Amino acid sequence: SGLIKKLYSDYAKFQIVAKKADRIFFLKESFTIPENLWMSDLEFKSVKQISDVNKEFSSSFNRGSVELRSFYNFEGVLLRGLLYKPENFDSTKQYPLIVNFYEKNSHRLHDYIYPSYSVGELNPAYFVSNGYLVFIPDIHFIKGSPGPSSYSCVISGINSLIKAGFVDTANIGIQGHSFGGYQSAYIITKSKLFKAAVISAGVVNLTSGYNALRENNSMMRSSYYENGQGRMTKNLWEDWQGYVENSPMKDMDKVSASVLMLYNKNDGAVPWSEGLAFFLALKRLGKPGWMLNYNNEGHVLQNMKNRKDFSQRLIDFFDYYLKGVKQPEWLK
């Protein structure tokens, strides 16, 4: 008595939704299996799938696979990341890689990702189904250093994949939205690993962003930088140099990646002026950059027509730079 007995297992996540005297109903989901309702007896000797929703998503295109990877950042902290791999992945071959991240995502290992249009964030399911590796590393933050913390975790994670031998090091991209956009913008000023970057709704100048209002609720942005996601812990005048050092704008002249930006004028979370400053800085420095703005759109795209358009441009951009397909007219 008191011993744990293994009744049933699978590379998936489970959630019990109902239990009767002789039956258990549960949800089962993984990256390759859409969430569906299952039923079992109490001993799990007879397990049966009840529903079969979203079947078309799992059968109409290549799903690929996902695995949990472990690596150490430059400070020696053990971290995890999700590596999405194309179907029929061959470790002896090399694949183009896109890195995407936002805080911590390793707990989403068994989430089924629908191949939906982008609202600002890259959709791993689409890119994996088209021959890309997609890596989403967890970020460990040091207070007062959101930029360097992101650099340490992302670059060390990429290096761990490069050592495995299946990454095409000449064709690595990065993509981030919102705070992930800020992180991505910072990282491309510090590393020449990236050939292409797609950055949406990310702050590039912490000193100007600090003294601004969130247009959607008129709240001062200072608290966000001091005690929120910005993690600077001090106000601007207590650590002016720290705010400058953590700003992508400071080293924009070091950017070597071609950059596609998405910044909308009606964004109530991140001022559109941040994107304009980013774009104009690249242009002044003679670096390749494109900026998209969708009329009447905010922090994320709501209009389906705009989602489709941005998704296609996201695909066009990475395919051109990382896979060598023909340059689309809008990139000329």
Side-chain angles (χ1 to χ4, degrees):
S1 63
L3 296 178
I4 296 175
K5 181 181 178 181
K6 182 177 179 179
L7 298 175
Y8 180 74
S9 68
D10 197 354
Y11 194 65
K13 68 178 181 180
F14 303 87
Q15 179 185 352
I16 295 178
V17 293
K19 180 180 178 181
K20 291 190 174 182
D22 60 345
R23 286 174 293 172
I24 292 177
F25 292 89
F26 61 94
L27 297 173
K28 179 180 174 182
E29 174 186 3
S30 74
F31 177 64
T32 57
I33 304 173
E35 184 180 69
N36 273 290
L37 183 66
W38 293 64
M39 180 182 73
S40 171
D41 63 284
L42 298 183
E43 292 295 319
F44 282 85
K45 292 179 179 179
S46 177
V47 180
K48 181 181 179 181
Q49 184 173 342
I50 303 298
S51 67
D52 194 13
V53 298
N54 300 311
K55 184 178 180 179
E56 66 278 9
F57 285 129
S58 57
S59 61
S60 59
F61 67 98
N62 295 332
R63 279 300 301 178
S65 61
V66 60
E67 66 178 52
L68 193 63
R69 306 279 299 196
S70 296
F71 63 96
Y72 290 92
N73 70 2
F74 294 142
E75 290 73 44
V77 177
L78 179 62
L79 296 171
R80 300 190 298 178
L82 301 179
L83 177 64
Y84 295 89
K85 302 181 296 185
E87 206 161 287
N88 302 314
F89 172 77
D90 184 346
S91 62
T92 65
K93 296 181 180 180
Q94 293 188 331
Y95 298 83
L97 169 70
I98 299 176
V99 186
N100 172 267
F101 45 89
Y102 190 96
E103 300 277 352
K104 287 182 168 62
N105 282 277
S106 59
H107 62 282
R108 299 186 63 193
L109 173 65
H110 297 303
D111 282 9
Y112 186 86
I113 300 176
Y114 295 89
S116 58
Y117 293 113
S118 173
V119 300
E121 192 79 35
L122 175 141
N123 184 283
Y126 173 84
F127 284 91
V128 167
S129 72
N130 284 273
Y132 287 91
L133 294 169
V134 177
F135 182 51
I136 305 181
D138 284 348
I139 309 299
H140 172 76
F141 290 98
I142 298 173
K143 290 182 178 180
S145 298
S149 297
S150 303
Y151 171 87
S152 171
C153 299
V154 172
I155 301 302
S156 59
I158 294 174
N159 287 344
S160 72
L161 299 182
I162 291 174
K163 289 179 181 178
F166 48 71
V167 173
D168 181 354
T169 56
N171 292 294
I172 299 177
I174 188 171
Q175 196 278 330
H177 175 74
S178 193
F179 188 62
Y182 155 72
Q183 294 172 282
S184 299
Y186 179 89
I187 290 169
I188 63 173
T189 69
K190 303 296 182 182
S191 173
K192 297 187 180 299
L193 267 178
F194 305 99
K195 192 174 183 180
V198 178
I199 294 166
S200 57
V203 171
V204 295
N205 188 342
L206 271 61
T207 59
S208 61
Y210 181 93
N211 287 312
L213 295 176
R214 292 181 69 98
E215 296 294 334
N216 53 355
N217 58 19
S218 296
M219 295 289 291
M220 293 175 61
R221 293 182 56 83
S222 54
S223 60
Y224 169 88
Y225 288 100
E226 293 173 27
N227 304 307
Q229 203 169 31
R231 296 177 170 86
M232 290 302 294
T233 72
K234 298 178 181 179
N235 71 42
L236 178 61
W237 298 273
E238 291 174 316
D239 189 17
W240 180 274
Q241 191 58 36
Y243 277 78
V244 172
E245 292 295 333
N246 278 275
S247 296
M249 186 60 70
K250 175 180 178 291
D251 291 314
M252 203 68 74
D253 58 327
K254 307 295 195 305
V255 172
S256 60
S258 296
V259 185
L260 173 64
M261 290 158 272
L262 169 63
Y263 287 86
N264 297 317
K265 282 189 176 180
N266 287 359
D267 190 335
V270 174
W272 178 75
S273 57
E274 290 290 314
L276 188 59
F278 191 1
F279 176 72
L280 294 177
L282 292 180
K283 285 300 178 185
R284 176 63 184 85
L285 293 165
K287 298 178 182 294
W290 293 260
M291 180 176 170
L292 304 175
N293 164 71
Y294 292 92
N295 293 333
N296 304 314
E297 291 280 18
H299 195 56
V300 297
L301 298 174
Q302 300 290 342
N303 183 282
M304 183 56 70
K305 180 181 178 181
N306 294 336
R307 291 182 182 182
K308 290 180 179 179
D309 185 80
F310 176 64
S311 297
Q312 187 59 57
R313 292 175 192 269
L314 192 64
I315 294 162
D316 288 346
F317 189 76
F318 279 132
D319 278 358
Y320 172 66
Y321 279 105
L322 305 186
K323 296 179 77 173
V325 303
K326 184 179 179 181
Q327 186 180 33
E329 286 296 323
W330 69 270
L331 272 178
K332 298 177 183 179

